[in-house]
Amino acid sequence: KQEVTQIPAALSVPEGENLVLNCSFTDSAIYNLQWFRQDPGKGLTSLLLIQSSQREQTSGRLNASLDKSSGRSTLYIAASQPGDSATYLCAVNTGFQKLVFGTGTRLLVSP
Amino acid sequence: DAGVIQSPRHEVTEMGQEVTLRCKPISGHDYLFWYRQTMMRGLELLIYFNNNVPIDDSGMPEDRFSAKMPNASFSTLKIQPSEPRDSAVYFCASSPRPVDRPTNEKLFFGSGTQLSVL
């Protein structure tokens, strides 16, 4: 059974810092991996999708990497801002859009 | 497009009552998903549809849960009878038809329904 773990569970940083969120999964047989952002009381917003054949994806200040063989992905946020404060979830696609979600990292960026 | 629309945003009901959650996916999306989020278990896939047909309902917890998609623009998730342990946030999501299989399309989530069963 696929299990997805995110470390750390919570992170608090001052504005301007670069930071890395980690995601690990137990079964490397995935089709893609997505990073989502969830704001309190809101739904999830897809940030980046990395296909299994790719190593990384970039969008603005966000960069996500994937090492499928080792079961790891990282989300790098450059020059963090208070508006980045949210919960970040990774999810692996085990086939036909069946996503298994991680436990999430709650990020707080202080001004 | 307005995105995935869910109603109601909040639902408070008493144990034993029937609860119906509603979802309108993004127009043109072929896949629709129902997820449940709790503090203890995180986000779990309950059921998903492809072209209005239920494909995988292995995540539906019990016979008390049922889901329908009568047409491409509407889906319901029903709980009858409801129990306090059903309290959670229920999300609906949709995605476009994949270019190839398995799909590599992003999922688009609604804002969720916060269900409280007393």
Side-chain angles (χ1 to χ4, degrees):
Chain A
K1 179 184 174 185
Q2 177 75 264
E3 293 184 2
V4 182
T5 305
Q6 292 185 243
I7 295 174
L11 183 62
S12 182
V13 300
E15 181 178 7
E17 273 203 9
N18 302 324
L19 56 98
V20 175
L21 308 181
N22 297 290
C23 172
S24 61
F25 45 95
T26 55
D27 188 343
S28 62
I30 66 170
Y31 294 100
N32 62 53
L33 182 146
Q34 292 187 55
W35 281 94
F36 291 86
R37 169 185 174 137
Q38 184 174 25
D39 293 283
K42 302 286 181 63
L44 282 70
T45 300
S46 182
L47 299 173
L48 290 165
L49 183 151
I50 311 176
Q51 298 185 22
S52 61
S53 59
Q54 296 178 322
R55 283 284 191 170
E56 64 180 301
Q57 279 285 333
T58 298
S59 176
R61 294 182 294 107
L62 305 179
N63 175 276
S65 67
L66 174 64
D67 184 343
K68 200 173 77 162
S69 61
S70 67
R72 296 180 187 277
S73 175
T74 62
L75 179 66
Y76 176 83
I77 303 177
S80 58
Q81 302 172 358
D84 295 330
S85 298
T87 296
Y88 291 81
L89 297 124
C90 69
V92 296
N93 185 343
T94 60
F96 296 100
Q97 284 289 50
K98 292 188 70 172
L99 299 187
V100 178
F101 281 84
T103 46
T105 293
R106 187 180 303 171
L107 174 65
L108 176 63
V109 182
S110 306
Chain B
D1 198 312
V4 177
I5 300 173
Q6 292 187 246
S7 64
R9 288 298 309 275
H10 303 274
E11 177 79 36
V12 181
T13 190
E14 293 186 348
M15 183 174 61
Q17 296 297 307
E18 177 180 296
V19 175
T20 299
L21 311 181
R22 297 172 176 80
C23 175
K24 176 178 168 55
I26 293 173
S27 177
H29 282 191
D30 288 352
Y31 286 85
L32 184 139
F33 307 81
W34 283 100
Y35 282 87
R36 178 172 68 176
Q37 186 176 39
T38 61
M39 288 293 292
M40 291 295 293
R41 301 174 68 89
L43 267 161
E44 301 173 288
L45 176 64
L46 300 177
I47 185 172
Y48 80 95
F49 295 82
N50 181 21
N51 292 321
N52 313 336
V53 177
I55 303 300
D56 187 338
D57 65 354
S58 59
M60 297 284 262
E62 306 173 22
D63 291 345
R64 298 184 297 105
F65 285 69
S66 63
K68 295 182 179 179
M69 192 165 186
N71 57 62
S73 60
F74 183 66
S75 177
T76 60
L77 178 67
K78 184 178 294 185
I79 308 172
Q80 166 63 19
S82 59
E83 297 182 3
R85 60 192 167 124
D86 302 331
S87 297
V89 180
Y90 291 81
F91 288 104
C92 176
S94 69
S95 72
R97 178 187 312 164
V99 174
D100 54 29
R101 287 199 173 197
T103 184
N104 280 316
E105 299 289 346
K106 291 182 178 180
L107 257 64
F108 295 81
F109 279 76
S111 298
T113 295
Q114 174 75 59
L115 173 64
S116 298
V117 183
L118 308 177

